[in-house]
Amino acid sequence: MRSIITLLCSIITYMSVSGQQPGRQDYTGVFEWVTAFYAENDAGYPTAVALRGEDAVAAHTEAFRGMVAAAADEDEFVTVVNRWLRFFRRGHHYFIAVDPSDNGYSSGIEEQYKPSFRMLSDRTAVLTINSFEIEYKPYIDQLLAENDSVIRSTPNLIVDIRRSRGGSDVSFYNILPYLYTNPITTFPMEVLSTPANIAAQEEMADWIENNTELTEEAELLRSIVEKMRENPGGFIELEKDSYPDYEVLPFPRKVGLVFRINNGSTDEEFILAARQSTKVKTFGVPTLGAIDISNVRSAVSPDGRFRLDYSVTRSTRMESMKVDDVGIQPDFLFPSEIHNRDWLEHVQRILENN
């Protein structure tokens, strides 16, 4: 499970820093907490250090200490810290100022992110997924159930995920049977076992258990926590995800999967699974490139004012097929002169005329 629902975890005692200039907030202590927490708990940090070198990482952090000390206000400080994070990779980490009432969980269902289904012609249907976040899984599943007979009797299906913002892999599981032609290859993940990550995983399991019907996912997460407890201090390889051998459906015969630059995380995991089908061709532009280092959790700064999002797992796929900071290339690349609003028309034409 690669859910990117965030949760709160504050475990480090705050040490105040003297020497604050009158009239200016001193963010130095928070930055030192960020750098220490990130180095200890983020699953991508060791890979970045190995790639860039310890000296380069140290020089980078030292340069940003000066920028933090000079930060005029909270907004500038947040910007500086996110620039520091960007040195390590493009996505699956972030730093924000938080409202004390923010619980770090979902903000609820928004109509604009619910999925939709429509017919472009008697030969082509469109399934639009605006979010794979776990809260939208019931809506995706219901929509598929309501339109199952239509999908199974229509030659072409377009799956449009351009507006999606990632989420949880379980949200796309019921789409795969419509695309399936052969077994889907997956790669194991490794989870970094630290006290903070164990606590974050436990809290995630509690949240899933109390707020969803995904009891199997909660149980799986708890089993991972037990392995982490038994093997503290390093990476633990987990059993790889596996998908069932679905029945190969006669319809849809062709599937066009449409994505763009903002698609990352679970969006990319869905693309990697779907494109293994001989029915599927992909369309658009290269994706964000934020999936190798994944499973985002959150930690609140000791002063309670800021939240650091970081990742607790890394994929063994990175050894042979890196996606982070590279993205997934489409089969059909849409040049800039084709406006985004016209993409579906082009996909429809290709599917219906070939």
Side-chain angles (χ1 to χ4, degrees), residues 191 201 220-229 238:
V191 60
Q201 296 284 75
L220 174 61
L221 202 48
R222 294 192 193 284
S223 70
I224 292 173
V225 169
E226 289 306 311
K227 292 180 181 179
M228 295 170 72
R229 289 189 183 282
L238 307 175

Side-chain angles (χ1 to χ4, degrees), residues 62-212:
E62 185 60 33
F64 272 75
R65 285 192 176 100
M67 298 180 196
V68 167
D73 53 35
E74 186 176 87
D75 289 344
E76 184 176 347
F77 172 58
V78 168
T79 298
V80 168
V81 175
N82 280 304
R83 287 178 57 199
W84 179 82
L85 289 170
R86 182 62 184 84
F87 175 83
F88 299 97
R89 64 179 180 275
R90 182 180 295 170
H92 275 170
H93 53 191
Y94 203 62
F95 184 74
I96 62 171
V98 296
D99 187 304
S101 63
D102 178 15
N103 66 4
Y105 295 96
S106 168
S107 58
I109 300 297
E110 298 180 54
E111 287 295 324
Q112 62 178 322
Y113 292 116
K114 287 184 178 180
S116 64
F117 181 85
R118 63 190 175 100
M119 300 297 296
L120 286 183
S121 71
D122 60 354
R123 297 173 59 194
T124 303
V126 179
L127 172 66
T128 301
I129 303 296
N130 295 316
S131 176
F132 283 119
E133 288 187 19
I134 202 166
E135 294 86 352
Y136 294 91
K137 175 177 169 55
Y139 296 94
I140 295 172
D141 293 348
Q142 180 181 353
L143 187 69
L144 293 173
E146 291 172 350
N147 295 280
D148 178 71
S149 61
V150 176
I151 298 173
R152 288 171 179 260
S153 60
T154 302
N156 305 311
L157 174 66
I158 298 174
V159 182
D160 182 1
I161 65 169
R162 286 176 293 171
R163 293 188 64 209
S164 180
R165 49 187 182 178
S168 175
D169 289 11
V170 298
S171 296
F172 66 67
Y173 284 174
N174 286 343
I175 302 175
L176 293 179
Y178 298 106
L179 320 180
Y180 183 86
T181 60
N182 48 270
I184 300 170
T185 299
T186 61
F187 293 81
M189 290 189 301
E190 298 175 318
V191 60
L192 180 57
S193 178
T194 67
N197 292 350
I198 289 171
Q201 296 284 75
E202 286 184 317
E203 193 167 353
M204 171 65 82
D206 290 342
W207 188 91
I208 292 174
E209 191 171 70
N210 296 328
N211 294 276
T212 76

